[in-house]
Amino acid sequence: MGQKINPLGFRLGTTQNHHSFWFAQPKSFSLGLQEDEKIRDCIKNYVQKNMRISSGFEGIARIEIQKRIDLIQVIIHIGFPNLLIEGRKRGIEELQTNVQKELNSTNRRLNIAITRVEKPYGQPNILAEYIALQLKNRVSFRKAMKKAIELTEQTDTKGIQVQIAGRIDGKEIARVEWIREGRVPLQTIRAKIDYCSYTVRTIYGVLGIKIWIFVEGK
């Protein structure tokens, strides 16, 4: 008992799709993986640098990457209309040139598209970011967790589980605290579950946030 598996990898091919679509020979597979990581990091860094201070967080739900021989297609699923959308086309073009420089790839075009997520607080990444922001502002972790669950309940999800681990509230001993609302059937493969793990750096040290959202299924 007690074996843990990533809920997304567990459901690949049934209710979950890959966030990266491409094919590579075994020898060059690791290079492709590093390239994906570079693209994602570059986009997140750009958004962090250019976002308005008042909004506080990025609001990126996920980044999908599709690669062909001559083209890299990147789709950014975004929760809130931040600088990338408000800053007209110039923002996206600037981001494209930044990522292209990072990749150093001359023989492939890069195309970045942005899609809005209808219910941002139904996305675990955006929720985790919201909780992280609250924890950095020294809000009580229980209050932050309960507020996050309230926001999710407005998006008609069937259940949510939030877990925070580390030196919570600056206590000497690290511990794990979690809270669940509704059903979260992690053993059922047919149940569509969204999951994310997020790291937040506070003045006490690093805290880990994990969120499971039961979207649909039996």
Side-chain angles (χ1 to χ4, degrees), residues 18-142:
H18 288 279
H19 288 173
S20 293
F21 292 94
W22 46 270
F23 175 79
Q25 296 294 340
K27 282 182 183 175
S28 57
F29 181 79
S30 61
L31 291 172
L33 216 53
Q34 285 166 14
E35 198 174 60
D36 281 11
E37 206 59 36
K38 263 187 195 172
I39 292 169
R40 289 195 170 99
D41 287 346
C42 193
I43 290 168
K44 282 174 184 172
N45 290 342
Y46 176 84
V47 175
Q48 269 175 355
K49 275 180 197 167
N50 292 288
M51 69 187 170
R52 289 166 306 158
I53 295 157
S54 59
S55 69
F57 61 101
E58 305 160 21
I60 294 175
R62 66 183 183 280
I63 298 167
E64 286 180 4
I65 298 168
Q66 299 166 7
K67 288 182 194 170
R68 282 187 257 154
I69 295 168
D70 59 339
L71 175 72
I72 300 173
Q73 172 76 36
V74 180
I75 302 163
I76 305 171
H77 294 265
I78 214 155
F80 305 101
N82 69 356
L83 264 178
L84 281 183
I85 293 171
E86 284 176 358
R88 306 163 308 282
K89 268 194 165 180
R90 197 180 61 79
I92 298 167
E93 281 166 12
E94 196 182 316
L95 174 61
Q96 256 177 225
T97 51
N98 277 12
V99 177
Q100 195 90 48
K101 267 184 207 166
E102 192 73 30
L103 288 178
N104 282 332
S105 150
T106 48
N107 54 352
R108 281 184 301 176
R109 274 188 312 115
L110 178 78
N111 186 27
I112 293 177
I114 286 174
T115 59
R116 270 299 289 283
V117 175
E118 273 182 31
K119 296 173 180 173
Y121 288 114
Q123 301 291 326
N125 278 310
I126 292 173
L127 262 191
E129 225 170 292
Y130 171 79
I131 293 171
L133 199 69
Q134 298 291 316
L135 293 174
K136 278 182 182 172
N137 294 339
R138 309 235 192 139
V139 173
S140 150
F141 75 94
R142 278 207 177 84

Side-chain angles (χ1 to χ4, degrees), residues 186-200:
L186 295 178
Q187 299 290 310
T188 315
I189 294 179
R190 282 175 303 172
K192 187 174 182 189
I193 286 181
D194 255 357
Y195 164 81
C196 92
S197 61
Y198 191 91
T199 308
V200 51

